[in-house]
Amino acid sequence: MFSVKPLKPTFKSYLLPVQTDLKKTPQPPIKKLEAKLLPGEIVVNEVSFVRKCIGADSSHGDLWGKLICTNFKVSFITHDALPKQRFQVANRLLGEHDVPLACVEQVVTVNDAKGKQKVLCSNQKLKFNPTELILYCKDFRIIRFRFDEAGPQSAKKVCLAIAHYSQPADPQLLFGFEYVGKQYYGSLGERVNGVDPGGGLQMPLFDRPSEWDREIKRTGAAEWRVCSINEGYIVSSSLPEYFVVPVSLADQDLKQYLCFFTAHRIPLWCWNHPNGSALVRMASISDPLQQRKLDQRICSAITKSHPQRSDVLKSDLDKNLPNIQDIQAAFVKVRQICVIEPFEESEEKWLSSMESSRWLEYVRAFLKHSAEVVYLLEGKHVSVILQEEEDRDLSCVVSSLVQLMLDPHFRSLTGFQSLVQKEWVMAGHRFLDRCNHLKKNDKEESPLFQLFLDCVWQIINQYPAAFEFTETYLTVLSDSMWIPVFSTFLFNCPQQRTENSMDFSKSKCIPLGEEKALRFPPVWDWSQQFTPKDQALFNNPMYVGKGATCVQNGAVKSFRRTKKNYSSTLRGMPSSLRNILMDGHDSLTLTRRNSLVPRLKPDFSQIREVVESPTERFFRDWVSRPADLQGMLIPQLLPSHLALWRLYFLRWVPEASILKGGPVTAYHKLSQLADEVEKLQSQLRQYKGATPASTPTSNPSAPPSDHSRMYFKAGSTLEPSSTPEYLSSSFPFSPVGNMCRRSILGTPLSKFLNGAKIWLSTETLANEAL
């Protein structure tokens, strides 16, 4: 027998032997889904395994996470992420998927199996387990959540919690009270970290006499004085503690008169024209027997304040303008058309529906009436009294628009904010009721402030270089109404803020020290919401400030508009159809679609013989001259000149978002150009200020410090920047995650986005044909 020699193994392992003595590699912990809470914010209820709907037709791209209800917001927390968009503006008070409870208009629950749907109100019971939750928001968003994998009882509880906390029964249940108490006040009444809400603002809040004094001096109102008879709100609960009255009216006289005015709201000074004319607002006189006597005394005092002792004319806003219910009805219709209703295929359906809402008609009515008041102040050199039943709604809109048209100071960012503070907040506009923060009375709700912002946008759209701020600023300002931490939009008047904050501080044992009440931060401190980078979106690169010049064909010239571009729309037009206004004593008439058909039948040669009124002549002369952007501005008021504010009304509709389209494309280029000019000016100043010895060592190509006001910076000369891929007509907002619809190609909305006009009335067609 031969012995067999064992074969050597030929297999070679390249894996390392398992080492049992080493510790196992620790797995990264799963990050918990938790909401970021503000001071004073608590979690009320939550439910896991919730799906946030991104698309309407399929679940592709939907996000999974946890839905949380706090005493401030509805928060959706997810590990998933939407495609990151570099332009996405982040609010420091809200997360990417957060909605403030004050912004929730309706809470709708759905059960697919039973085919049931229910609108939840506060303290209501829900008899079925919801499979879907739909939130209709006041900023036109619609957000959907699915509970297919969530616990049915947990889903029901979070829906009920959202419905309950979005409809507080008392002002002190608004989140702002808890936030301010924890954010700014310590246990001994001292400031937390020395923070003073609103203490760093460089604008007047008009809550002290010195700020009114400065406004009097700025406008040259020498015959007007600051009155303090309402200090401590002992005279009127809706008036500010300090306001301005004629010098010739003594405090004793005012105390005697106030009982005859509605809510004791005696006449308030708004503004003085350089020619001495004054703009005044006042409530109605409640005692008819005292009407004539008080009118004479008030008008006499205002006349004495005028250098030329000019007359005083009164404008009755209740008779000449739509009421708050009409404005609310029009706004609801616009929301229904833009957001809720499906887009029809009929060619005229969407455009005619938008016109029939009458929203743009009301915008035009307020602009027109304000321009009439401008004519009286500027053209006739007379003082004007704006009279309204309570002087807290329509007068806020008209007085603000008149000052915006006449005073370039209010077209700057700081000036505009001071205008809103003066004519809305301190004058006692009912923000609590008109925003319906407490959901108590729908009849009191009315979007007057949104109407005002729309009117401002219309003027900006026609004179873009006259305003320091942008439409993004106006949109963000409107959105801030639904963040209930700012004193600006939270109360009906300053007295209500004082009274409620005193009661709240006592109930919560918050020592106020030497202060009378909790000091809520005003919305004007934008650093509370946005970074300095994002705040640059408020700055208009085209703004022509006081004394600014521009370069045309190598020569430095004043910024002017040409006669051809702006007056051609009026040439050859009959005077009765021109874009000019009636006399101030005439009643305001609002034209509707097809309302001019009978008037268009006669021969136009007969209409041209109509004699021009002084008002028509005044506006014709103004339009024929080059516009002074630092002077009076009158908006064009033909229906074809007014447009739908797309960024505000359509920003959350994904299908209406135009990729690399809309005004943002021009804004992007102009911002880069303005940034490049700023850098060149900075380098030029450095060059001029450098000594001869230091000039050779200076480095002109070194990047300057980043103090640019522009959001978009100028690119390098080697790589000229093109329009970024992420820009769209919704910029800087992202419609992703809102309720989507089917394709809109070929629909009226598609035609509108491509330039079709909304207002297709006979009046428009007639005027443009002439």
Side-chain angles (χ1 to χ4, degrees):
M1 294 289 299
F2 295 98
S3 62
V4 179
K5 193 173 183 180
L7 298 175
K8 293 182 178 181
T10 58
F11 175 78
K12 183 179 182 180
S13 174
Y14 293 91
L15 297 177
L16 294 176
V18 178
Q19 299 181 9
T20 56
D21 57 335
L22 294 178
K23 295 182 179 179
K24 293 184 179 180
T25 305
Q27 296 293 327
I30 299 176
K31 188 178 180 181
K32 291 185 178 180
L33 297 176
E34 295 180 352
K36 294 181 179 179
L37 304 179
L38 297 176
E41 186 178 8
I42 58 172
V43 174
V44 176
N45 223 308
E46 60 184 38
V47 56
S48 300
F49 307 109
V50 177
R51 176 161 56 91
K52 181 179 181 181
C53 301
I54 301 300
D57 298 330
S58 68
S59 61
H60 179 72
D62 289 356
L63 305 178
W64 289 88
K66 178 187 290 187
L67 185 63
I68 300 174
C69 175
T70 75
N71 57 340
F72 168 51
K73 62 179 182 277
V74 177
S75 184
F76 180 75
I77 313 298
T78 178
H79 286 316
D80 303 330
L82 293 170
K84 201 63 180 177
Q85 298 160 327
R86 286 184 290 163
F87 71 86
Q88 184 69 36
V89 175
N91 193 307
R92 289 175 166 177
L93 301 177
L94 296 166
E96 185 179 6
H97 302 282
D98 292 352
V99 179
L101 289 169
C103 188
V104 176
E105 177 77 19
Q106 259 188 1
V107 180
V108 179
T109 53
V110 180
N111 183 284
D112 295 336
K114 297 183 178 181
K116 291 185 177 181
Q117 182 172 314
K118 183 179 180 63
V119 178
L120 287 181
C121 297
S122 181
N123 297 322
Q124 270 192 337
K125 292 183 179 180
L126 187 60
K127 296 182 180 180
F128 59 82
N129 294 327
T131 57
E132 183 176 349
L133 170 67
I134 306 175
L135 300 181
Y136 292 88
C137 303
K138 294 182 178 180
D139 62 359
F140 284 42
R141 278 184 291 176
I142 303 178
I143 305 174
R144 299 169 57 225
F145 299 99
R146 295 285 305 179
F147 302 121
D148 301 304
E149 305 296 331
Q153 290 301 315
S154 298
K156 179 188 290 187
K157 289 179 180 178
V158 80
C159 292
L160 292 172
I162 293 171
H164 176 75
Y165 281 86
S166 64
Q167 303 173 50
D170 188 84
Q172 295 179 32
L173 295 177
L174 292 168
F175 174 69
F177 286 90
E178 294 286 351
Y179 175 77
V180 171
K182 294 288 177 65
Q183 174 77 348
Y184 298 110
Y185 294 89
S187 58
L188 300 177
E190 76 282 1
R191 296 286 185 195
V192 177
N193 299 325
V195 174
D196 181 12
L201 285 179
Q202 301 298 318
M203 57 162 284
L205 296 177
F206 296 101
D207 57 355
R208 57 191 69 182
S210 59
E211 294 175 337
W212 286 106
D213 273 325
R214 282 194 291 272
E215 185 66 8
I216 290 174
K217 292 177 182 177
R218 189 189 70 82
T219 58
E223 295 300 318
W224 296 80
R225 67 178 179 88
V226 180
C227 176
S228 59
I229 63 171
N230 199 36
E231 205 166 32
Y233 308 104
I234 60 175
V235 167
S236 174
S237 60
S238 63
L239 287 178
E241 289 188 283
Y242 310 101
F243 48 89
V244 178
V245 296
V247 169
S248 58
L249 281 180
D251 288 354
Q252 186 176 356
D253 297 329
L254 294 171
K255 291 178 181 178
Q256 182 182 353
Y257 300 157
L258 62 90
C259 62
F260 300 112
F261 288 91
T262 302
H264 293 182
R265 290 182 65 89
I266 54 181
L268 302 177
W269 173 86
C270 299
W271 181 78
N272 244 56
H273 194 282
N275 64 27
S277 303
L279 180 64
V280 181
R281 52 189 287 182
M282 76 175 192
S284 299
I285 298 173
S286 54
D287 189 347
L289 300 177
Q290 300 291 330
Q291 177 80 41
R292 185 172 181 180
K293 178 182 176 181
L294 283 177
D295 275 343
Q296 289 178 347
R297 292 187 178 181
I298 296 299
C299 290
S300 175
I302 297 175
T303 299
K304 291 178 182 178
S305 69
H306 198 292
Q308 282 78 41
R309 300 296 190 264
S310 294
D311 294 335
V312 179
L313 298 181
K314 186 185 294 183
S315 174
D316 192 332
L317 303 183
D318 290 320
K319 291 182 179 179
N320 295 331
L321 290 172
N323 59 42
I324 62 171
Q325 288 81 17
D326 291 338
I327 296 170
Q328 170 67 7
F331 190 74
V332 170
K333 288 180 182 177
V334 171
R335 178 190 296 158
Q336 191 81 11
I337 296 166
C338 290
V339 180
I340 299 175
E341 288 183 348
F343 301 128
E344 302 289 344
E345 295 294 334
S346 172
E347 185 173 353
E348 291 292 331
K349 174 73 174 179
W350 195 85
L351 300 176
S352 59
S353 297
M354 184 62 66
E355 180 187 351
S356 64
S357 72
R358 306 189 72 176
W359 175 257
L360 283 178
E361 182 181 330
Y362 293 158
V363 168
R364 183 192 183 206
F366 277 89
L367 287 170
K368 184 174 183 180
H369 197 89
S370 301
E372 291 177 351
V373 176
V374 166
Y375 161 69
L376 297 175
L377 294 166
E378 172 85 14
K380 300 190 72 172
H381 294 199
V382 298
S383 297
V384 179
I385 297 177
L386 304 176
Q387 187 169 28
E388 187 189 4
E389 179 64 29
E390 286 194 357
D391 180 38
R392 304 178 69 176
D393 291 311
L394 308 182
S395 55
C396 297
V397 182
V398 176
S399 64
S400 300
L401 289 175
V402 170
Q403 295 173 67
L404 200 71
M405 293 177 188
L406 285 171
D407 194 339
H409 168 69
F410 295 125
R411 297 171 213 152
S412 67
L413 183 61
T414 301
F416 181 79
Q417 294 180 163
S418 67
L419 176 67
V420 175
Q421 184 71 24
K422 175 168 68 79
E423 296 299 329
W424 292 79
V425 181
M426 300 310 293
H429 178 64
R430 301 174 181 271
F431 278 109
L432 183 69
D433 295 339
R434 298 298 177 250
C435 296
N436 204 10
H437 286 316
L438 303 183
K439 310 290 195 304
K440 279 188 175 181
N441 190 352
D442 291 342
K443 293 182 179 179
E444 294 293 324
E445 184 176 1
S446 186
L448 285 162
F449 192 66
Q450 287 97 329
L451 177 81
F452 165 66
L453 295 181
D454 200 331
C455 291
V456 175
W457 179 83
Q458 300 291 342
I459 306 176
I460 291 179
N461 196 39
Q462 296 184 26
Y463 303 99
F467 292 82
E468 186 181 13
F469 47 89
T470 62
E471 65 171 330
T472 297
Y473 167 79
L474 295 178
T475 309
V476 168
L477 179 59
S478 177
D479 290 345
S480 300
M481 297 173 65
W482 316 122
I483 303 179
V485 300
F486 307 115
S487 60
T488 313
F489 304 123
L490 210 54
F491 304 100
N492 285 334
C493 58
Q495 184 271 345
Q496 187 186 51
R497 176 189 64 81
T498 302
E499 180 182 0
N500 278 276
S501 60
M502 288 179 64
D503 294 343
F504 180 82
S505 60
K506 290 179 182 178
S507 64
K508 298 292 183 178
C509 299
I510 301 175
L512 299 178
E514 299 179 355
E515 295 183 353
K516 299 178 183 179
L518 294 175
R519 289 195 62 186
F520 285 75
V523 73
W524 315 122
D525 182 6
W526 293 105
S527 63
Q528 298 176 97
Q529 295 192 65
F530 304 104
T531 63
K533 166 71 173 175
D534 289 342
Q535 290 179 57
L537 287 168
F538 299 166
N539 300 325
N540 179 12
M542 292 184 288
Y543 177 57
V544 178
K546 190 172 183 179
T549 58
C550 66
V551 178
Q552 294 180 356
N553 298 327
V556 178
K557 300 180 181 180
S558 299
F559 188 93
R560 295 178 179 274
R561 71 178 181 190
T562 61
K563 180 177 179 180
K564 178 179 178 182
N565 290 340
Y566 287 85
S567 61
S568 59
T569 56
L570 299 178
R571 291 203 193 99
M573 191 179 298
S575 58
S576 62
L577 297 179
R578 283 185 189 137
N579 180 29
I580 40 187
L581 309 166
M582 299 178 297
D583 289 331
H585 59 270
D586 291 341
S587 61
L588 185 67
T589 57
L590 304 178
T591 56
R592 292 297 315 279
R593 182 172 180 151
N594 298 327
S595 61
L596 293 184
V597 172
R599 296 172 58 187
L600 293 176
K601 290 181 179 179
D603 186 1
F604 288 110
S605 61
Q606 299 176 4
I607 303 178
R608 289 192 178 94
E609 296 175 0
V610 177
V611 179
E612 256 187 346
S613 70
T615 314
E616 293 174 333
R617 189 180 307 112
F618 172 81
F619 286 102
R620 176 178 56 79
D621 292 343
W622 181 84
V623 171
S624 66
R625 297 192 302 267
D628 178 10
L629 297 182
Q630 287 299 309
M632 181 180 68
L633 292 181
I634 302 296
Q636 301 276 357
L637 294 179
L638 281 175
S640 58
H641 289 128
L642 302 182
L644 181 71
W645 186 6
R646 302 184 190 185
L647 184 65
Y648 180 78
F649 289 107
L650 297 176
R651 57 185 161 144
W652 303 119
V653 182
E655 296 84 357
S657 181
I658 306 172
L659 188 62
K660 300 177 69 174
V664 68
T665 55
Y667 176 79
H668 170 252
K669 296 296 184 184
L670 289 168
S671 297
Q672 290 183 320
L673 183 60
D675 180 63
E676 187 172 4
V677 170
E678 286 182 10
K679 291 177 179 178
L680 292 174
Q681 288 176 338
S682 176
Q683 292 177 5
L684 185 60
R685 284 192 297 267
Q686 293 177 5
Y687 178 79
K688 288 182 176 180
T691 61
S694 61
T695 301
T697 59
S698 62
N699 184 12
S701 62
S705 57
D706 190 10
H707 295 298
S708 173
R709 299 185 314 112
M710 297 297 107
Y711 183 82
F712 296 106
K713 304 296 189 292
S716 65
T717 56
L718 298 178
E719 298 179 2
S721 57
S722 58
T723 303
E725 293 292 334
Y726 58 83
L727 286 187
S728 73
S729 57
S730 300
F731 179 89
F733 306 97
S734 174
V736 177
N738 294 281
M739 208 172 202
C740 306
R741 299 189 180 88
R742 300 179 185 87
S743 173
I744 62 168
L745 293 177
T747 65
L749 179 62
S750 175
K751 300 180 190 300
F752 165 71
L753 295 173
N754 285 294
K757 294 177 181 177
I758 289 178
W759 210 308
L760 301 178
S761 63
T762 309
E763 178 185 13
T764 305
L765 299 176
N767 281 322
E768 292 183 349
L770 291 171

